[in-house]
Amino acid sequence: AANGHRDRTAYHFQPAKNWQNDPNGPVYYNGMYHLFYQYNPHGALWDVGNLSWGHSVSGDLVNWAALDNALNPTAPFDANGCASGSVTILPDGVPVIMYSGIDARRRQVQNVAFPKNPRDPVLREWTKPGYNPVIPVPADVSPDNFRDPTTAWLGRDGLWRFAISAVADGVGATLVYRSADFLRWERNAAPLHASRDAVMAECPDLFPVAEHGEDGLDLDASASGGAGAGVRHVLKVSMPDTLEDYYMVGRYDDADDTFTVPPEDLEAHGDDYRRWRRIDHGHLYASKTFYDAGKKRRVLWAWVNESDSEADDVAKGWSGLQSFPRAVWLDEGGRQLVQWPVEEIETLRRKRGVLLGGNEVEAGGLREIGGIAGSQADVEVAFEIASLAGADRLDPDHLRDPDALCGENGAAVHGGIGPFGLLVMASGDLRERTAVFFRVFRLSHGYTVLLCTDLTRSTSRAGVYKPSHGGFVDIDIEKDRAISLRTLIDHSIVESFGGGGRTCMTARVYPEHVATGSSHLYVFNNASDAVKVSKLEAWELATASVNAGDDGLISY
Ligand code: DQQ
């Protein structure tokens, strides 16, 4: 791909070089998409003291022009790093950044920044007022656990609110602050949510979703609709101990700034974030959404870290990707999200791939998807399940640990219904291959579908993390009799969407064969019967222009 290194991606967001982590302040403003991101301008590795906000703009969420850093750690209130935060558009149309600064005494404080010239169409330069911080560390909050403010929203009382992560009084909590002027903030006595276990969550996100349909909602949907009428809310947090993102669908009420999980989900998942639903069952963290008023959709970004060694990152000169932007909406059942790559990906589609040898794949079969380069592709495949009779039995104990279940039952382990799926980033001799696949299991009542990404053969390179990721797919297989899988392949990242985007799974892969040969793509079936491929849409994708070095794309 671009920039020389074989692991470099072709259509995922990366700065030209160096370390990046969390997406920050994504916003659609003035007909343009902005992405800020946690950035170390001085090297390929994490270095908290150097944390800055990188900044790029795009007209289509696919091609990006790099601008100068929006924030650098230069002031007493952020001297040790400009950590994560958000952008809010004020009623006069001016955007404001709110972010966590790590101050000269290493305390986490909340700061604001404004565009130097609000008429600059790309908002190139940002000013940090001298009156920062707008929120110092409260007395009961630990100074190193107070960060990551969300985009603010207006309540029905006309006051601004935002949510932020903290450890308050020894308890991990998502706090809410209110303000009339965006400068003087008062904390609500009750947290939005607290987990009895004293763990610090990071990067909270609270956003409304429509009960029906795929349209997104702006944050003030709670003000117009109150806590009721066709609107639910999603609370999402990131858990640093495992680098995993969790969410729950509930109800937010701006009368008292509380978030309530429905009783049946509270019973099933409890109040500990680590038992909530996963945004992604693979390698993805610090996700953040924004409302795209242009296309009336909510879009999610997330950081996808490397899983090779630090020495590899130094050699590459960069580290970290952003997931391909995903539209997010509420599933008809009302309890889980659906995530789907934004439609603009289609502008990159070039050649179409075909499944060689017909769409009936026999037991033990391996079929190449021919005609396209396998290293930058968008593949959607659906498997028809004629009968569930052959499903293997699953002990309910195994429901708790899908990663282990996928680890014990890799792609080569034959089963009843499944494994079947895709082999991606595969060498011609199949020594290197990454398997993304389903298994259907029988429970004492009904069936369950498991999605796995098996990385154990993804590379022959040593020193790379090669786990098995697993997640159950919450679909009604008895009714649907089909399972779909969409996988985006981009050199060193494989992002999969099972069951129409109900179970997402991102993985990093570092195959060696790409240095000397091409990458192949297959459909495989290691179930005990043939499986029918009822849909196959495979596309080779072009290389997008991502931070290619100049901002000539932007004309103004
Ligand atoms: N990364 C940021 C923090 C956040 C963490 C610093 C999550 O603000 O809590 O880069 O990755």
Side-chain angles (χ1 to χ4, degrees):
N3 300 58
H5 197 279
R6 63 178 187 253
D7 297 334
R8 187 91 190 163
T9 60
Y11 60 93
H12 280 76
F13 184 96
Q14 298 191 253
K17 57 182 181 185
N18 295 329
W19 165 276
Q20 73 168 332
N21 56 293
D22 313 352
N24 288 158
V27 68
Y28 177 73
Y29 179 71
N30 234 341
M32 192 94 71
Y33 297 98
H34 292 251
L35 182 65
F36 305 85
Y37 53 91
Q38 290 282 284
Y39 182 53
N40 174 10
H42 304 295
L45 301 182
W46 165 253
D47 180 4
V48 63
N50 280 325
L51 279 183
S52 307
W53 277 41
H55 182 196
S56 295
V57 288
S58 169
D60 62 3
L61 289 172
V62 172
N63 299 288
W64 292 89
L67 302 174
D68 288 344
N69 284 354
L71 303 174
N72 292 302
T74 52
F77 47 80
D78 63 15
N80 286 300
C82 301
S84 285
S86 304
V87 164
T88 302
I89 298 171
L90 298 176
D92 59 2
V94 174
V96 52
I97 287 176
M98 183 179 274
Y99 70 104
S100 302
I102 304 171
D103 76 4
R105 292 171 54 191
R106 299 194 182 277
R107 296 169 304 194
Q108 296 177 358
V109 297
Q110 313 316 316
N111 303 319
V112 291
F114 296 92
K116 194 166 175 188
N117 171 13
R119 275 173 304 279
D120 171 5
V122 297
L123 305 171
R124 200 177 285 270
E125 287 181 89
W126 292 77
T127 310
K128 300 180 279 191
Y131 56 68
N132 278 311
V134 290
I135 310 180
V137 196
D140 62 332
V141 168
S142 51
D144 53 350
N145 282 310
F146 183 46
R147 61 183 180 273
D148 307 341
T150 64
T151 297
W153 65 94
L154 280 171
R156 283 170 294 177
D157 55 10
L159 297 178
W160 287 107
R161 286 119 163 103
F162 72 86
I164 185 167
S165 278
V167 172
D169 226 351
V171 175
T174 305
L175 308 177
V176 177
Y177 278 81
R178 297 197 192 105
S179 172
D181 60 5
F182 223 91
L183 299 179
R184 279 158 302 184
W185 292 92
E186 209 169 296
R187 173 171 148 201
N188 193 29
L192 185 71
H193 185 86
S195 205
R196 269 180 300 234
D197 310 72
V199 280
M200 172 71 177
E202 299 181 315
C203 302
D205 196 14
L206 178 73
F207 58 88
V209 282
E211 278 178 359
H212 303 291
E214 300 176 10
D215 279 358
L217 297 173
D218 205 347
L219 291 188
D220 61 10
S222 50
S224 44
V231 177
R232 307 265 178 109
H233 274 75
V234 174
L235 176 60
K236 168 260 144 188
V237 294
S238 302
M239 301 309 297
D241 47 348
T242 51
L243 296 183
E244 292 169 345
D245 279 12
Y246 292 88
Y247 75 93
M248 195 54 67
V249 180
R251 295 203 183 268
Y252 161 71
D253 190 344
D254 66 359
D256 51 3
D257 286 312
T258 51
F259 176 78
T260 316
V261 173
E264 53 298 359
D265 274 322
L266 196 58
E267 192 171 319
H269 300 274
D271 67 359
D272 188 335
Y273 298 123
R274 292 164 296 186
R275 290 181 51 209
W276 286 13
R277 291 180 192 274
R278 295 277 294 274
I279 290 287
D280 190 291
H281 293 259
H283 198 73
L284 175 146
Y285 194 61
S287 61
K288 183 187 267 310
T289 64
F290 73 101
Y291 178 62
D292 174 1
K295 292 210 167 181
K296 291 200 173 20
R297 61 186 170 183
R298 184 156 287 276
V299 177
L300 178 138
W301 284 103
W303 169 40
V304 183
N305 197 6
E306 302 303 305
S307 50
D308 57 357
S309 68
E310 289 201 339
D312 290 327
D313 295 344
V314 171
K316 289 186 295 199
W318 54 265
S319 173
L321 308 176
Q322 301 296 332
S323 58
F324 192 80
R326 303 172 179 180
V328 182
W329 64 90
L330 185 64
D331 182 29
E332 273 303 314
R335 297 165 79 164
Q336 63 178 336
L337 291 176
V338 182
Q339 302 172 56
W340 203 241
V342 296
E343 63 190 13
E344 286 86 340
I345 197 170
E346 292 167 22
T347 62
L348 295 172
R349 289 178 173 177
R350 294 296 182 269
K351 276 186 259 170
R352 196 189 251 279
V354 287
L355 184 61
L356 304 177
N359 54 10
E360 202 48 36
V361 183
E362 70 283 4
L366 179 69
R367 292 291 177 73
E368 182 150 18
I369 299 173
I372 59 173
S375 54
Q376 36 192 89
D378 175 357
V379 183
E380 191 179 353
V381 59
F383 297 98
E384 202 174 283
I385 319 280
S387 158
L388 291 164
D392 297 319
R393 218 174 222 304
L394 185 69
D395 181 331
D397 279 355
H398 285 120
L399 290 170
R400 256 182 271 131
D401 196 348
D403 289 343
L405 193 56
C406 289
E408 285 153 26
N409 301 279
V413 178
H414 290 245
I417 302 183
F420 42 68
L422 298 170
L423 292 187
V424 305
M425 291 304 287
S427 57
D429 61 8
L430 284 171
R431 268 190 219 166
E432 289 185 325
R433 68 213 188 235
T434 294
V436 189
F437 59 88
F438 295 111
R439 288 176 189 272
V440 180
F441 291 106
R442 188 150 46 98
L443 301 168
S444 46
H445 298 286
Y447 296 83
T448 190
V449 178
L450 179 70
L451 174 66
C452 302
T453 301
D454 175 356
L455 296 172
T456 53
R457 303 296 175 107
S458 56
T459 180
S460 46
R461 201 189 298 180
V464 173
Y465 177 55
K466 295 178 233 180
S468 288
H469 300 303
F472 291 100
V473 190
D474 197 346
I475 54 172
D476 187 348
I477 191 68
E478 286 186 88
K479 187 172 129 255
D480 299 351
R481 293 302 169 109
I483 324 174
S484 75
L485 172 65
R486 183 170 178 192
T487 297
L488 305 185
I489 302 142
D490 191 2
H491 299 264
S492 62
I493 182 170
V494 176
E495 273 185 90
S496 297
F497 302 82
R502 285 160 187 83
T503 297
C504 305
M505 200 171 281
T506 299
R508 296 304 306 276
V509 297
Y510 303 94
E512 297 272 61
H513 68 268
V514 292
T516 50
S518 52
S519 258
H520 299 257
L521 199 53
Y522 301 90
V523 171
F524 79 97
N525 176 24
N526 281 337
S528 43
D529 286 313
V531 68
K532 191 172 162 196
V533 173
S534 52
K535 173 181 186 177
L536 183 92
E537 279 250 9
W539 295 91
E540 180 176 323
L541 299 183
T543 299
S545 176
V546 180
N547 300 321
D550 65 78
D551 56 13
L553 280 180
I554 306 303
S555 48
Y556 60 92

